[in-house]
Amino acid sequence: MAALRHQQLSVLVAAAAALLMMSMTRLLLVVSAASDVPTITFDEGFAPLFGEANMERSPDGRTVSLTLNRYSGAGFISSHYYHHGFFSADVRLPKDHTAGVVVAFYLSNGDVFDKNHDELDFEFLGNRRRHEWRLQTNVYGNGSTERGREERYLMPFDPTLEAHRFSILWSSRVVIFYVDGVAVREVPRSGAMGGDYPSKPMALYATIWDGSTWATDNGRYKVNYKRGPFTADFSGLVLRGCPAAAVRRDDPAALQLQLQLLGSEKDDRCAGSEFELMTADYAIMTPRRRMEMRRWRQRQMLYTVCYDTNRYPAPFPECDVNMAERQNFWEWGESKVVRPRVRARSGSSRRRRTAGGAPATTHLVSLQQAD
């Protein structure tokens, strides 16, 4: 009998090990599928936009450095406009004092549609020395700039030490923003959004520029070019979508007409591309991924338009309003619990002592303690 029990136990252990191995294999496949998106070189998908003298490419064409100095910023643009797609880059930001500096990675057709453009933004807002960069996302459709849908976050890492991946998924049904593969914001399309949902073909941009009038504490701190130049690196470039028919950017009137036609008459050849996009692993928002997104937002979100009742007494239709969560935000949309941090001066952690005389171990001080 004992031998039989031992044999049964061995079978159960073996079965459990097999199930664990299968689970781990599935997990590895999911991680691989989420990260194994083909990247391209600059020449395969991009062209300079402005400030070419402040743009430097690596010998293999897979890294582009954009610099802001007192003479100019810099930027590049995708060679095509896209109906929808998945767009990604690994971004490393300038370090030290970067107040007033704006680095942007975004989709737009603003160069074509001056009054009714569409836009999906990642904007990185510089700060004073020892203060953290801010990350901002925004969504515009058909020139809905008077109905800004901003959200701002702290990042759970130092974006000046190494590159981190920022991605945008844009389909006819949903927009998702990702940071290092984690969804951080989801904007589902609804009929109530009307024309506020971006629907016309857009190009992908990367830029660095002087945002002194607004970027840091509403313009209180300007770009100090004595602390420059300021350089942002873009690598791991991904353009995965359905390009609009070939257009000429050197003829704005013809380009606008062609993009209008392409936006109003859905290109049948893109239907298969969007199906592939929405069935890709990274596009499927499982319950676990929604939980990860909510956790990330709880820890990192500084401001959301969804709880800014001063600006918008009624939330936007895409807002997932949680009444318990809402208590953690002021009526102007800023978080009561997520607070900016300031890095201590070099060596100050050695000078500070706890009440008992032991060395302090904290390398970050609160905003109220910072000068």
Side-chain angles (χ1 to χ4, degrees), residues 72-94:
S72 176
F76 59 88
I77 183 174
S78 60
S79 303
H80 294 280
Y81 286 74
Y82 292 83
H83 285 285
H84 298 106
F86 181 76
F87 310 91
S88 187
D90 297 339
V91 183
R92 185 168 67 89
L93 299 174

Side-chain angles (χ1 to χ4, degrees), residues 119-121 136-141 143-153 177 185 187-188 190 192-198 303-306 311-312 315-319:
E119 191 167 317
L120 297 171
D121 290 329
Q136 178 167 290
T137 61
N138 213 333
V139 178
Y140 297 120
S144 59
T145 53
E146 75 280 3
R147 296 183 297 281
R149 287 168 153 85
E150 303 96 338
E151 287 192 344
R152 285 187 293 278
Y153 326 87
F177 295 88
R185 185 179 185 184
V187 183
S190 70
M193 288 185 72
D196 285 2
Y197 191 87
Y303 168 87
T304 174
V305 71
C306 291
R311 288 174 69 190
Y312 306 107
F316 287 120
E318 70 274 13
C319 288

